[in-house]
Amino acid sequence: MGDGGGRDLFRYLVADEADDYTAVMDCFSGLLLAELSAADIASALAATGTPLHADVVEARCRRLVHWGNLAASGRDTGGSAVTDYVRARARYRTTVPGARVHREAAAVLSSRDGAREVARESLGRIADALVLIDALVGDSGSVADPDALAGHVTGVFAHHRMFTESVADFYTYLGGVLARLDLSDDDYTEFKLVLLEYLDVVTSDVAQYAPLVATRLRDLAPRLDLVLAALPGTGLPDPAGVVRSPGRTRSDWDELARWYDEDSGPRRLRDAAAHALTRLLVHTRRLTSATPGFSHRADLLRLAGWFAESSDEQAHRLFAATFGAYPSRHLLLGPDEPDPRVGPGTSWWDADPVHVPVSLRERGDRSPRGRTARIPDPTPDRTRADALATQESQERAAAVEELCGAGDLNGAHVSDLARTLLLDALGELLARSRSLDSPARVDDHDLGLSLTAEPGPDTVVHCPDGDLTVHALSLRASVPASRAPTGTCAQTDTDSQRTGTE
């Protein structure tokens, strides 16, 4: 590595041949344990449309080795002579810092300048993971599933990093926009909506979850040594060169607890939100001023004073003159009014509402749009109507049979539908007969029901929902004479007549 230490790792990004160096480093991206020669890199670059001679690639790789981004491996020893070994090209591999720098640089170069979405769901996941960690450790100190514990610990720190980085990127974007003095009306409106929405998300979620996370971290602190001891891989020696994942040391947990302390991370977010809103108000005052030194805010305050000093009538006139809210005239250009008393002088408050077609209301014309709708097939509706009519006819026929089978209706038990048919027939009989001093009869040939009423004792018919009592009349149901030979009800009526004669 050069004299600049770790800073030399970034030199290839700003060097004169930065495109060549970046293309060489891209060849190692996505490869594991890759050792490439200059010829291999040149072939890979030619396949991607960036032709570089092998000698040029060799020079670029040596420079990257000097800066610490690449490391040179041994030469290819496959030759049979010393000359073959001397002519053989070295092979190169990426160093750990060089690979990390290139990954971060590629992410930055491919990122957009817009606002990054804040990972608001991360705070809730952190709180849930801390509960699971506490449940796995418990009071006994033994962990039944160390792998699950390691997954929850990694999730806590991964979500914390995602949240803090997304919030930092968002506020960085806000700082860049707030520093601009050339915001147009459209840019200002869009920026204002984004700012208010994200500030509400950040401040509300932080206020809800930050105290919860801080409390659960304090509850977990007494058993933190048990958590660290149960994590897989924590027993690796330090000289092994292994960089441990976040959450494997007590310092990681202490730093996490300090961030969620009320006077640390949450306070900084609230201060940043207040500062952003203050800067937004500055832009608002600037944009609402028509000319330098003249503010519409002063006009609105002056107008508010006039309203405060005016009477109701003067306030209405002032409002109409200021905002052009003059009363509308009813021009009678629509359909005919249903009320002839409504004229051009009638207020809309007093007149009935007028139906306005959608095309006229939304587009200002009556011309039809789109294709003509297809005429629906009436067959399903007709089939359903026929089925309902058939079902209703069968139910009525069953009710008629029920009445005819009972014959003398006094004390008979009938259904609700039979009772309804009986009432209909009785109503028709009462309407036709002026007096019921003598027997009377009504025939319904469509239903096949004949009802006879004659003076006598009361008739009581029992139904599921109550009893029907017909005073001073004896009721008998039978089949009309025209249909008597075809049914069982006719035989029942004949038998009843024979019994009465005997």
Side-chain angles (χ1 to χ4, degrees):
M1 190 175 292
D3 298 335
R7 298 178 182 177
D8 288 338
L9 294 168
F10 301 89
R11 291 184 180 274
Y12 79 98
L13 296 171
V14 294
D16 294 337
E17 301 82 14
D19 294 337
D20 294 348
Y21 292 122
T22 303
V24 171
M25 293 298 297
D26 286 339
C27 292
F28 293 90
S29 300
L31 300 178
L32 302 177
L33 298 177
E35 291 185 354
L36 303 177
S37 65
D40 297 334
I41 297 174
S43 300
L45 293 177
T48 59
T50 309
L52 283 179
H53 194 271
D55 293 336
V56 177
V57 174
E58 183 74 19
R60 303 290 185 263
C61 290
R62 290 176 180 175
R63 198 60 182 171
L64 288 170
V65 170
H66 176 72
W67 288 330
N69 302 93
L70 295 180
S73 301
R75 297 175 182 266
D76 187 4
T77 58
S80 59
V82 176
T83 55
D84 295 335
Y85 177 80
V86 172
R87 293 176 182 176
R89 300 294 183 106
R91 304 181 70 81
Y92 302 93
R93 56 180 174 81
T94 57
T95 61
V96 174
R100 292 178 180 172
V101 168
H102 188 65
R103 284 197 300 268
E104 297 297 332
V108 171
L109 294 176
S110 61
S111 62
R112 299 176 57 184
D113 295 335
R116 177 180 175 183
E117 183 179 3
V118 177
R120 58 177 302 184
E121 69 279 358
S122 296
L123 290 176
R125 302 289 75 79
I126 293 173
D128 296 339
L130 290 175
V131 173
L132 297 175
I133 293 173
D134 188 78
L136 286 174
V137 176
D139 297 330
S140 61
S142 61
V143 179
D145 193 350
D147 293 334
L149 178 65
H152 296 319
V153 171
T154 302
V156 167
F157 286 86
H159 281 295
H160 174 70
R161 179 182 178 183
M162 183 183 301
F163 176 76
T164 53
E165 288 182 353
S166 62
V167 168
D169 290 349
F170 174 70
Y171 278 107
T172 302
Y173 166 78
L174 289 185
V177 176
L178 290 172
R180 292 173 53 187
L181 298 177
D182 58 341
L183 285 178
S184 62
D185 293 342
D186 295 337
D187 293 339
Y188 166 78
T189 301
E190 180 180 358
F191 166 69
K192 179 185 67 174
L193 295 177
V194 172
L195 173 62
L196 294 179
E197 179 181 356
Y198 275 78
L199 287 183
D200 179 71
V201 168
V202 171
T203 53
S204 61
D205 286 1
V206 169
Q208 178 182 0
Y209 290 108
L212 183 61
V213 172
T215 302
R216 292 178 178 176
L217 286 173
R218 287 193 297 268
D219 297 339
L220 187 62
R223 295 188 295 275
L224 189 56
D225 291 335
L226 300 176
V227 173
L228 297 176
L231 291 175
T234 55
L236 291 174
D238 293 336
V242 177
V243 180
R244 295 177 179 176
S245 301
R248 269 60 180 176
T249 61
R250 177 172 283 274
S251 60
D252 294 337
W253 289 91
D254 293 340
E255 183 180 356
L256 181 67
R258 283 194 298 270
W259 194 95
Y260 284 98
D261 186 77
E262 186 62 22
D263 295 330
S264 183
R267 180 180 57 80
R268 292 199 300 269
L269 291 180
R270 288 195 297 269
D271 293 343
H275 179 69
L277 289 176
T278 302
R279 298 290 299 274
L280 177 65
L281 293 177
V282 173
H283 282 278
T284 303
R285 287 193 295 268
R286 181 182 62 83
L287 292 176
T288 54
S289 300
T291 57
F294 185 82
S295 175
H296 290 292
R297 179 174 179 271
D299 292 341
L300 294 176
L301 291 176
R302 188 181 302 110
L303 180 62
W306 292 346
F307 274 111
E309 298 173 357
S310 301
S311 62
D312 291 344
E313 183 179 357
Q314 292 174 343
H316 285 297
R317 295 177 58 189
L318 179 60
F319 184 87
T322 303
F323 301 102
Y326 299 102
S328 301
R329 293 190 60 194
H330 197 154
L331 300 180
L332 296 176
L333 297 180
D336 295 337
E337 295 286 351
D339 190 352
R341 296 173 296 177
V342 175
T346 305
S347 173
W348 284 4
W349 291 105
D350 302 328
D352 295 332
V354 177
H355 174 71
V356 180
V358 176
S359 60
L360 184 61
R361 182 172 65 249
E362 296 184 355
R363 300 187 295 268
D365 61 75
R366 295 177 176 270
S367 58
R369 301 295 179 92
R371 297 180 301 177
T372 304
R374 298 179 57 184
I375 299 176
D377 185 9
T379 303
D381 294 337
R382 189 163 51 243
T383 302
R384 184 165 53 252
D386 293 341
L388 292 176
T390 302
Q391 180 182 359
E392 182 180 359
S393 177
Q394 293 175 353
E395 292 176 352
R396 292 169 67 89
V400 170
E401 286 191 14
E402 188 178 354
L403 293 173
C404 294
D408 188 0
L409 297 179
N410 186 28
H413 293 267
V414 298
S415 61
D416 294 337
L417 181 57
R419 186 267 318 274
T420 302
L421 297 179
L422 173 61
L423 289 175
D424 293 340
L426 181 60
E428 184 178 355
L429 186 145
L430 294 175
R432 291 184 179 181
S433 303
R434 298 181 180 180
S435 175
L436 292 179
D437 296 336
S438 59
R441 178 173 179 170
V442 63
D443 296 328
D444 190 337
H445 298 281
D446 294 333
L447 287 177
L449 175 64
S450 177
L451 180 64
T452 303
E454 57 184 14
D458 297 345
T459 299
V460 180
V461 181
H462 303 286
C463 305
D465 57 354
D467 295 341
L468 169 65
T469 302
V470 181
H471 296 283
L473 286 179
S474 177
L475 302 180
R476 182 182 297 106
S478 61
V479 178
S482 60
R483 302 177 57 177
T486 61
T488 306
C489 294
Q491 184 65 33
T492 302
D493 185 60
T494 304
D495 295 340
S496 61
Q497 292 179 359
R498 185 183 299 111
T499 302
T501 302
E502 294 177 354

